[in-house]
Amino acid sequence: MSNHESDSRQIVNLTKFAWLSVAAAVTTIVLKTGAFLLTGSVGLLSDAAESSVNLIAAVVALFALVQAAKPADSRYTYGRSKVEYFSAAVEGAMIFAAAAVIIFTAIERILNPASLENLGIGLAVSVFASLINAAVGTVLLRAGKTYRSPTLKADGMHLLTDVVTSVGVLVGVGLVALTGWNLLDPIVALLVGINITVTGVRLIRSSLSGLMDVTLPEEQNNAIVSVLAAQGDGISFHGLQTRSSGRDSFANVDMLVPGSWSVKEGHERAEDVIDQLRAAVPGLRVLIHVEPIEDPRSYDDIPDGFVPLPVDHTEDPEEASGAGLSEPPTS
């Protein structure tokens, strides 16, 4: 069995991005609340409410990233990367809370219309706050993709959703200023609340997938399969399983080799395969179980869930190579 990993790999500390998110949330809360107080717009109030949620989510993200940055130890032998999924789930739940406040407030304003004031300066303040969110959201989303951080992806997506929300609100308030039809303000706010609910659903679904050890993305699985299928020298593979855990990627597979090979030969070949897999999928943590290809017991441990491998139809086990055998070869 070979479990070739770089134990010295550095865990990137991403808390600086969380602090950036906290700063952006505080700034936009102040600006948007000021815009609401100036105008009395329920749309701008809904925008400020979502920014308050952004602040809570940013603090949760900061906690998650601090925990994820800690190295593995005797209690958490695989590290704490999954804590990022909890953060993303909390953020999705907070989006629901913001949507509920926005929808409730919008309905109340539809039932009890009110005129708006100081729309020009209120809109200008809100536009400035939205530009801050757009810039920070873009930075967080890019960092999340670069470092494969569910927390930063969720936070970035949330901020960019906030920008979309703000644009909708600004359009609504702008139309009120042009037409004098005050009812447009709560109607736009209601639509915004429904829209961000969809975003919350997506975040929670993504978080639950990670907590349930969802397999790696298709392109990464295909890269792994390509490496395994290219192997020769009478070896084959089966039972490939992959999973994503926060920023970490895992793969385990059985490698079947001729029984005449020594332990040293099997181990060295497994190490070579792992090096190729890690080159194809950077950062992949690989576990290979080496088994004799002729032993029927080598085929008793194929898991129920596995990534399909190309099947070799060679009948002679001594000639099997590059296969994803799901049952023992027959002679």
Side-chain angles (χ1 to χ4, degrees), residues 33-288:
T33 301
F36 161 69
L37 293 175
L38 286 169
T39 63
S41 166
V42 70
L44 293 177
L45 174 62
S46 69
D47 214 7
E50 188 176 2
S51 291
S52 299
V53 172
N54 289 349
L55 177 58
I56 298 173
V59 171
V60 172
L62 177 61
F63 169 79
L65 291 172
V66 168
Q67 293 299 313
K70 294 180 179 179
D73 53 33
S74 59
R75 181 174 176 81
Y76 299 100
T77 55
Y78 285 98
R80 298 169 173 82
S81 59
K82 275 196 175 181
V83 71
E84 293 201 47
Y85 290 118
F86 288 102
S87 171
V90 169
E91 188 147 358
M94 294 306 299
I95 288 178
F96 281 131
V101 171
I102 293 170
I103 291 171
F104 177 81
T105 307
I107 292 174
E108 192 279 332
R109 182 58 62 89
I110 290 174
L111 297 175
N112 301 288
S115 60
L116 306 183
E117 300 176 357
N118 302 315
L119 292 180
I121 188 170
L123 288 173
V125 171
S126 187
V127 166
F128 181 61
S130 298
L131 291 175
I132 293 175
N133 274 342
V136 175
T138 301
V139 169
L140 295 182
L141 201 57
R142 287 178 178 174
K145 291 178 180 179
T146 300
Y147 298 107
R148 300 184 63 248
S149 168
T151 295
L152 292 182
K153 287 181 183 178
D155 213 9
M157 185 184 300
H158 191 172
L159 287 179
L160 293 180
T161 299
D162 195 14
V163 173
V164 174
T165 299
S166 299
V167 170
V169 169
L170 292 172
V171 169
V173 175
L175 289 174
V176 171
L178 292 173
T179 65
W181 191 27
N182 292 321
L183 195 60
L184 281 174
D185 179 45
I187 289 176
V188 169
L190 184 62
L191 294 175
V192 165
I194 295 172
N195 178 63
I196 67 172
T197 299
V198 175
T199 300
V201 170
R202 290 174 179 169
L203 278 178
I204 289 179
R205 286 182 60 185
S206 175
S207 300
L208 291 178
S209 293
L211 289 172
M212 295 175 67
D213 286 336
V214 67
T215 188
L216 294 180
E218 184 177 359
E219 62 272 15
Q220 293 185 351
N221 279 339
N222 289 341
I224 292 172
V225 170
S226 295
V227 170
L228 298 181
Q231 304 302 315
D233 298 331
I235 67 173
S236 62
F237 301 86
H238 66 211
L240 172 64
Q241 294 175 298
T242 67
R243 67 184 178 93
S244 178
S245 178
R247 297 175 231 168
D248 295 325
S249 301
F250 296 86
N252 57 272
V253 68
D254 293 340
M255 184 176 79
L256 297 97
V257 305
S260 59
W261 283 21
S262 67
V263 173
K264 184 175 184 296
E265 287 177 305
H267 173 73
E268 289 181 346
R269 186 52 183 268
E271 294 294 320
D272 291 341
V273 173
I274 290 172
D275 288 339
Q276 294 175 44
L277 290 173
R278 289 172 64 83
V281 181
L284 184 67
R285 304 173 69 177
V286 187
L287 172 66
I288 291 183

